Each structure stands twice: as C-alpha cells, then as structure tokens.
Amino acid sequence: MSGIFESFNLYSHAEKFYLEPTELGGGASSTTYLEIDRHTSSMRVNDSRAQRIPIIDSDIKFIYGVLGTIKLVAGNALIVITKAKIVGQIGNHNIWTILDTEIIPFKKTTLHLTERQARYNRRFIEMLGSVLNFGGFFYSTTFDISRTQQFLQQNQGSAAFQTSSMMDRASDRFIWNGYLLTQIRSVSGAEKFTLPIIHGFFGQTKLQINGSSIKLTIISRRSIYRAGVRFYKRGVDNDGHAANFVETEQILEFDAEEKHTTSFVQLRGSIPLLWSQKPNLRWQPTPQMRPTDDQLAAFNRSFAWHQKHYGGKHVIVNLVNQKGREKKIGGELERIAQQANIDFVRYHQFDFHKECHAMQWNRLSILKDQLADEIQAFGFFYSCPSQVQPTRYQQGFFRTNCMDCLDRTNVVQSMLARESLTDQLRMFGILGQHQSVENVDQLEIVFKHLWADNGDECSRQYAGTGALKSDFTRLGKRTYLGAMNDGVNAVSRYMRNNFGDGYRQDSIDLFLGNFVINTSDLPPTLETSIFSTDQNGLALVAALFAMSMTILCMLVADNFTATIFWLIIFFVCVSFIFLNGEEFVNTPKLKID
C-alpha cells in the first residue's frame, strides 16, 4: 500500500488551484499534481512532464495536507492544513497533529450573494472553523492510525487490503474528514492526495524500566456516527451506533533484539438504548425514554455491530447510579441485557458513586477483583516480527459507560489498562511476576498522566471542559483541590451545555456532512434569537429589566417597597423561564435529531 504525499505547494491562480506534492525538506516528490478549477469545481490529476504548473501570477503557499472541500453558500471551498507537528511514532511511522488550518473559497468574491446569503456564508465558515479549532486531530502519511494493531495484523495477508489506498482501507467510523474528501476521492489517480484524519487523543512517552527501553502510547479514536456534544447526543441510532463512542488502544513497544508490540483495546459509548436528555436549564435534565421504542432491538443492533467489528466476547461495565435520575436508564439497560441474553455479552453493574462515596476511591479494587478473571481471559494483542513467539490476539473487550462516558468511565478504563499493562510487562520479563505497574514509581507516574490527559481531551471534545475526577487518574488519589476544580468544570459544563452546545452540534453536523447546505433553502432557524418578540423573548427582557431595577432600587433609590416589587417581578419571570427551560437553551438548528 502506498502512503500519502506528506506536504504540498499550493499554487492559487485566479482560475485554478494546483497542488504540487513536495518533500518536507523542499523539492517536488512526484511528477503528478492535482488541478482544481475554481469556476467549475472540476478536478483532475496531471503529469508535470506533459503540462507544467503555471507559476506566474500564482500565490504560493506551503501546506501539510488537504482536509477536503465543502460546498458553502458562495460555492465550494478548499480546506488545507497550514501547520502541523510530529507528536510521536508508531513503529517507525510519524504521527502528526494539526495545529492550524485555512478555509480557501474557490470564488474570490462574494459580490454575487445577497446580503442574507453572505451572512449565512460567513456563519457556515465560522462553524467549520470552530470544529477545526477543537484540537485533537491526528494523521499519518505512512500508517493507518484509524485501525487497531490487531486489525492490521489480521489483515496484512490480504492482497486487496494491502494494495488499497490508505483512505480506502481506513475505518470510516473514525475518519472525520471522510465527507470533505468525497470529491477528491472520485478523481482518478488522486489516492495519494486523500489524507485520512482521526479525532480524539494521541499521547506517547518513552522510558527505561529495569534496564529495558519501552514506548507507551495511548490513542483514542472518536466515532463519526452519532457524534456531537454531551446532551444532544445520547443513546444509539437506528443502526446501533452509540453516541460518544470512543475506541481507545494502549500500545506498548519494546525493543530487545527486535521490536515487540502489544496492545489492549477498550470501548466506551453511551448507554446502548434509545433515550434522550435534552438541556432545559436544570442542573441535570431528567433522562427520557419513549414507551413505544423497541429497546431490545436497539440493544441487539448495537452489539451485532460490536461483534462485526471486534469479534470476541464483550463485557458491559455499567457505572451509573442505582438510585436517583440515573436509575431508570441503568435499570432498563440491565433488564434489556438479561432479556437479550446474547451469548458473547455479559452485563456487569458497579454503582460507582455508591461504592466510592466520601472519596473512598480505594474501593475501585472491588471492581478490579470482580473483573480479574475476564481481564486475564481477554488478554491482549502481541506480535513479534520474527514470530519467536506466536501472535496473540485479544479475545474480549470491555465496553465501559457511565451517563456521559467521560469521568467515571476514564477512571475505570485506566484501571483496566493498568492491569493489562502489568501482564504485558511481565510477559516480556521487564517486570517480575510479583511486580506491577503501581510498584514502579516512574512508570506509574507516566501511566497516570497519559490516561488523565486522554480523559481531559475526550471530555473537552464532548463536554467542553476537562474531565472530572482527573485528580484520581493523575495522582492516584482524590484531593480537595481536585474536587474544587471539578466544581468549576461542572459549572462551566452547565453554561456550555445550555447556552453554547446547540451551535457546537450544528458545527459538527456541518463538518461531517450530516447537514448539507442547500443555497435555495437556507434554514431560517439559524438566525433566530432568544431575544425575540414572542412570550419567551419578552420574559427574558422582563427578567433582565426587573433585575436591573431591583439593583437600582437597592443602591440608588433606597426604596424598600420598590425593591420588593421588582424582586417579585424578577422571580416570577425567572420561574417562567425555568418552567419552560427547553425554550431558552441554545438548541441545534440545522439537523433535528
């Protein structure tokens, strides 16, 4: 399989774009280039020996790659990577993260647009930019980072797989620019111009343990299916894809006389049922399930999907509370799991908050003991180039969830990963049979920080803040400073979830192609505001006015009666707003789920 061109000179001519492949150090790396007509949007691959790029009157820009093209109101636009850096290696393959991008319209002017169209065009460009600014986008020009080590090993003997382009062989579940690359992929000979990008986390460290050099990597791949923000994406869709689904692979590379590689894969995803939890200004909206939904069918579809892509056995580690607002969803999951009675799926309940209340986080050892047999039975992937030892495959997978698959989930996933890493290091003889990761201070510190960074990044992408409880993952204990930081993050999440996540969801749907712009049917809801002339808008204005008058009466007029009057008006307005909370939050406007 050929790799992807690692960089380009982008020639922007009045009539066309020309993408010339280059070496990072400079100089052309191919005799072909991609030509894009800025008027007709047609594309073709040319041979520079037969037809040279017209350099005169062209602006030249060095770029690292092309994310793709997208249709905006003004016409198509090219999205390119202008800054990137290497963050690590898997094997000898460089892994890059995207630092900056640019959206370049095909048309050089928007004079052909009406004022409304120009407004929408700017808004859509801002939305795309907001997604690109999320961070957490990674790629490799020579290695498929959308697939697990185990999958690549199992398919390396397939001629069709090995001769496919990197984009064709990548997992469409985790390629975030798949929609953007649709047009370029249709061009004959453009395979090496199509760079697959994943979204999630990549962290890596090298260290010496008992005289042995090891490299530890964590890579989290966020699914494009049912992708979105915290409250607007819950449960599963009709195809069994779970919201907030993330595949996390912990990779260990050990260099002795030759390179040995192990990996351990875990899954996280929203509770695999049909449910919702829409923001409504309350601190925690009540989860909802419709009695007419076929929960058994949704559950079965979800795990049929798991079996197809992973095989082996699966253990659902459910961390939701067994009382309060979480009980309804958690209890239904347990009931449906028992009713489904799938032979390769086992349901395991662990009430995280009940067991670890009052900062008794040492009680996580209870869960570790409960899962110990399956941790051993599931094992991990192992390969060695010379096959001194036979290849081993991971036989089962833990699918962990809480309500958001963020905070509690990351804590438990790190615990399971630590147990697997201990087994891997013992197999190599790097740790003695009575040693564990916790016993080696340097390794334990590095391990904790990698997993805490992973939790923070996944949380930022989904909920807008770093993970809660990350002090335990990072330090191995719960601290009062960590609890205070959790409080700040919780308030920040509340504000984002209620007043910013509708826009973020719209931006993701636009980026992934879940919403396609139709210039003749622009969504009028995109310009609606909560400060409107209906009863909701009037209630909001009245609440702000009453609050202002209350403060003025207290500070300036010193009129007790007037202060009480305006305070009552303020509370009446606020009560109305909270009773109709769903009408006042920032909801998605492009694609209704």
Side-chain angles (χ1 to χ4, degrees):
M1 182 210 61
S2 58
I4 306 296
F5 293 130
E6 60 183 2
S7 59
F8 303 89
N9 284 327
L10 171 62
Y11 298 86
S12 297
H13 190 270
E15 306 295 324
K16 295 179 179 180
F17 293 122
Y18 301 94
L19 282 160
E20 177 190 40
T22 65
E23 302 285 354
L24 281 173
S29 64
S30 174
T31 58
T32 63
Y33 64 88
L34 181 66
E35 174 187 305
I36 304 174
D37 191 299
R38 300 182 70 167
H39 298 293
T40 66
S41 299
S42 63
M43 300 181 183
R44 66 179 180 178
V45 174
N46 292 333
D47 190 327
S48 60
R49 292 169 297 185
Q51 184 177 351
R52 291 185 175 277
I53 296 174
I55 298 177
I56 298 175
D57 296 329
S58 292
D59 294 327
I60 305 175
K61 180 189 294 289
F62 173 82
I63 62 172
Y64 286 89
V66 180
L67 287 175
T69 62
I70 190 169
K71 180 183 178 182
L72 299 172
V73 181
N76 282 2
L78 182 69
I79 307 176
V80 299
I81 304 168
T82 55
K83 286 185 181 180
K85 73 173 182 179
I86 296 173
V87 288
Q89 289 185 325
I90 297 178
N92 298 316
H93 303 279
N94 290 333
I95 311 300
W96 296 77
T97 187
I98 297 174
L99 299 178
D100 204 0
T101 58
E102 186 175 351
I103 302 170
I104 308 172
F106 282 24
K107 296 184 184 297
K108 302 191 75 171
T109 178
T110 58
L111 294 177
H112 60 291
L113 301 180
T114 65
E115 182 180 342
R116 179 172 181 265
Q117 288 174 326
R119 213 165 44 240
Y120 271 79
N121 196 65
R122 288 193 298 270
R123 184 71 176 270
F124 289 135
I125 290 174
E126 290 169 1
M127 285 180 170
L128 293 172
S130 72
V131 175
L132 294 167
N133 289 332
F134 282 174
F137 289 100
F138 301 93
Y139 70 89
S140 173
T141 59
T142 58
F143 184 74
D144 186 358
I145 59 173
S146 73
R147 301 286 193 181
T148 64
Q149 297 286 304
Q150 180 160 309
F151 181 92
L152 294 174
Q153 174 72 22
Q154 290 172 328
N155 288 272
Q156 68 175 356
S158 166
F161 183 79
Q162 290 299 320
T163 56
S164 297
S165 70
M166 188 177 291
M167 189 67 197
D168 287 340
R169 64 181 275 182
S171 171
D172 59 3
R173 293 177 295 157
F174 301 122
I175 301 304
W176 272 61
N177 62 330
Y179 166 70
L180 300 178
L181 285 174
T182 302
Q183 186 180 10
I184 299 178
R185 289 184 71 184
S186 68
V187 178
S188 177
E191 293 83 4
K192 297 184 73 170
F193 293 84
T194 55
L195 177 65
I197 307 294
I198 71 164
H199 193 213
F201 173 78
F202 182 93
Q204 186 174 89
T205 188
K206 299 177 182 178
L207 64 162
Q208 291 272 336
I209 302 297
N210 295 336
S212 298
S213 298
I214 68 170
K215 181 165 64 176
L216 184 63
T217 304
I218 296 176
I219 180 168
S220 282
R221 307 169 178 102
R222 188 179 177 195
S223 175
I224 67 168
Y225 299 119
R226 203 161 176 74
V229 294
R230 186 181 178 205
F231 283 124
Y232 287 116
K233 290 298 176 183
R234 295 294 209 199
V236 296
D237 63 16
N238 291 330
D239 296 317
H241 298 299
N244 197 24
F245 184 87
V246 180
E247 173 189 275
T248 299
E249 183 176 21
Q250 179 177 273
I251 303 170
L252 173 65
E253 295 175 77
F254 166 52
D255 290 312
E257 295 179 358
E258 55 190 335
K259 185 180 290 292
H260 301 260
T261 303
T262 60
S263 80
F264 180 64
V265 174
Q266 297 185 73
L267 314 173
R268 67 170 78 180
S270 185
I271 293 173
L273 300 174
L274 299 168
W275 62 287
S276 62
Q277 192 179 14
K278 304 296 186 186
N280 57 7
L281 296 183
R282 286 162 177 74
W283 185 256
Q284 287 288 353
T286 302
Q288 302 291 332
M289 288 187 293
R290 295 182 302 191
T292 55
D293 284 336
D294 190 341
Q295 301 293 359
L296 179 60
F299 181 89
N300 286 334
R301 280 194 298 268
S302 185
F303 280 94
W305 183 90
H306 280 68
Q307 180 69 2
K308 176 182 176 182
H309 288 90
Y310 295 101
K313 294 186 177 296
H314 293 259
V315 172
I316 305 170
V317 183
N318 187 24
L319 305 175
V320 302
N321 299 343
Q322 290 302 290
K323 61 180 182 179
R325 64 180 181 84
E326 296 185 1
K327 180 181 179 181
K328 179 180 180 181
I329 303 294
E332 182 68 359
L333 176 59
E334 182 175 11
R335 185 185 73 81
I336 292 295
Q338 291 173 352
Q339 184 180 350
N341 194 28
I342 303 173
D343 58 0
F344 62 86
V345 177
R346 185 178 77 81
Y347 175 86
H348 188 90
Q349 175 65 46
F350 183 80
D351 191 328
F352 189 100
H353 287 150
K354 176 184 176 183
E355 296 293 345
C356 302
H357 73 287
M359 302 175 88
Q360 298 181 78
W361 288 57
N362 59 304
R363 291 178 59 80
L364 275 173
S365 61
I366 297 172
L367 177 60
K368 181 173 69 176
D369 292 341
Q370 291 170 348
L371 300 176
D373 289 344
E374 280 154 326
I375 295 172
Q376 290 295 317
F378 289 176
F380 49 84
F381 167 75
Y382 164 73
S383 73
C384 172
S386 69
Q387 298 298 310
V388 174
Q389 299 182 45
T391 298
R392 293 170 51 172
Y393 293 113
Q394 187 172 334
Q395 302 296 321
F397 302 87
F398 293 99
R399 184 199 191 277
T400 308
N401 71 262
C402 47
M403 289 299 285
D404 295 320
C405 302
L406 294 176
D407 313 316
R408 289 169 275 181
T409 295
N410 198 68
V411 169
V412 169
Q413 283 197 329
S414 67
M415 179 192 74
L416 296 172
R418 183 187 286 106
E419 293 303 298
S420 181
L421 181 59
T422 294
D423 291 340
Q424 294 163 39
L425 292 171
R426 284 176 180 170
M427 183 189 75
F428 289 141
I430 297 173
L431 293 183
Q433 289 306 305
H434 299 292
Q435 277 189 303
S436 62
V437 171
E438 295 98 318
N439 302 144
V440 184
D441 290 343
Q442 181 189 9
L443 177 58
E444 174 71 350
I445 290 170
V446 164
F447 176 89
K448 287 175 179 175
H449 281 280
L450 269 179
W451 272 94
D453 291 344
N454 175 67
D456 282 343
E457 187 59 37
C458 290
S459 179
R460 270 191 290 269
Q461 292 168 13
Y462 187 58
T465 73
L468 309 185
K469 306 173 179 64
S470 65
D471 55 333
F472 181 81
T473 312
R474 199 176 295 279
L475 303 174
K477 60 181 180 180
R478 203 70 168 100
T479 65
Y480 288 104
L481 182 61
M484 291 174 61
N485 186 63
D486 285 357
V488 173
N489 280 340
V491 172
S492 179
R493 283 184 182 182
Y494 172 82
M495 299 302 292
R496 288 173 180 270
N497 298 159
N498 284 283
F499 306 113
D501 274 0
Y503 177 84
R504 291 181 72 224
Q505 184 64 56
D506 283 336
S507 301
I508 292 169
D509 284 332
L510 175 65
F511 188 89
L512 293 177
N514 298 326
F515 171 83
V516 178
I517 296 171
N518 181 351
T519 54
S520 61
D521 186 22
L522 296 174
T525 53
L526 198 61
E527 293 191 302
T528 58
S529 168
I530 57 173
F531 290 100
S532 56
T533 56
D534 61 11
Q535 62 179 6
N536 293 338
L538 293 175
L540 196 62
V541 171
L544 293 173
F545 181 76
M547 180 178 67
S548 301
M549 292 301 296
T550 301
I551 294 172
L552 283 173
C553 289
M554 290 174 62
L555 299 179
V556 179
D558 196 23
N559 187 323
F560 180 76
T561 302
T563 300
I564 295 299
F565 171 78
W566 286 112
L567 191 61
I568 291 172
I569 297 297
F570 172 73
F571 278 114
V572 168
C573 293
V574 168
S575 297
F576 175 83
I577 290 170
F578 270 86
L579 285 172
N580 299 274
E582 286 193 25
E583 303 295 325
F584 290 88
V585 299
N586 177 230
T587 59
K589 297 176 174 63
L590 298 183
K591 182 177 180 293
I592 307 302
D593 190 10

